[in-house]
Amino acid sequence: MRDFSDHVAVVTGAASGIGRQLAQDLVARGAEVVGIDVQDAPDLRDVRFVRCDLSDLDAFTSTLQQIEKEHDRIDLLANVAGIDRGVSAAENDRTVFERILRVNFVAPLTGTLAVVPGMVSRRRGYVLNVSSDSVRSPIAGASAYIASKGALSGFTESAALELKPKGVHLHVLYPGFLYTSMGKEAI
């Protein structure tokens, strides 16, 4: 078990599901954790919580800048937050696709681009972007979600090759189905 006692970690989607568990695990391993979510999470122990709607990219960037200013750095950014809504490509509802892409891809991209310069200057840092196993095993009616997670995967894997020599490590996680709030809604 890795010790994170000298790390400042930011976890999006920290109010529930994978984000909540990751935030708690990082605290247990000694990290100073800031959780970000659109929902409140008053019962998260030892996690400083910031409410932010990631679809507001300026607010998300400002939140990350404020955290970095307060702590002098962000050592680990975990982009876990995500949304889904079953939408068929036949529905031709571009607004739903755009919202899902904004939260699931553009927000993690924005967050990554916000923290990487500081990590590169320190030659140390980690970004975890949570994708989905459905990228590799697509299902019908989830094209917006899968497209957003596929874009996140491609960006992360490519940027990882570029940033590793600079001491910054990007990782993509492909979780399978989990019985979280979002998973329950998908059933």
Side-chain angles (χ1 to χ4, degrees), residues 143-157:
S143 57
Y145 179 77
I146 293 168
S148 68
K149 293 301 187 171
L152 183 60
S153 298
F155 163 72
T156 305
E157 291 175 3

Side-chain angles (χ1 to χ4, degrees), residues 41-84:
D43 59 338
L44 267 176
R45 294 185 55 197
D46 300 319
V47 174
R48 181 175 150 233
F49 189 80
V50 178
R51 191 170 180 161
C52 181
D53 181 350
L54 300 185
S55 69
D56 182 341
L57 302 175
D58 291 335
F60 182 38
T61 301
S62 177
T63 297
L64 290 171
Q65 290 170 340
Q66 185 62 34
I67 293 166
E68 195 160 24
K69 183 178 178 185
E70 290 171 7
H71 298 276
D72 294 323
R73 68 190 193 286
I74 293 174
D75 299 300
L76 187 153
L77 171 64
N79 289 304
V80 183
I83 61 170
D84 188 16

Side-chain angles (χ1 to χ4, degrees), residues 85-133:
R85 179 180 153 233
V87 59
S88 168
E91 289 178 42
N92 199 20
D93 190 347
R94 195 179 85 206
T95 57
V96 174
F97 278 79
E98 288 175 353
R99 172 129 176 92
I100 292 171
L101 281 162
R102 187 174 189 86
V103 172
N104 293 357
F105 171 61
V106 181
L109 169 69
T110 299
T112 300
L113 296 177
V115 301
V116 161
M119 292 176 176
V120 168
S121 72
R122 291 185 301 278
R123 299 198 56 77
R124 176 183 140 183
Y126 303 91
V127 177
L128 171 66
N129 288 325
V130 177
S131 181
S132 170
D133 194 43

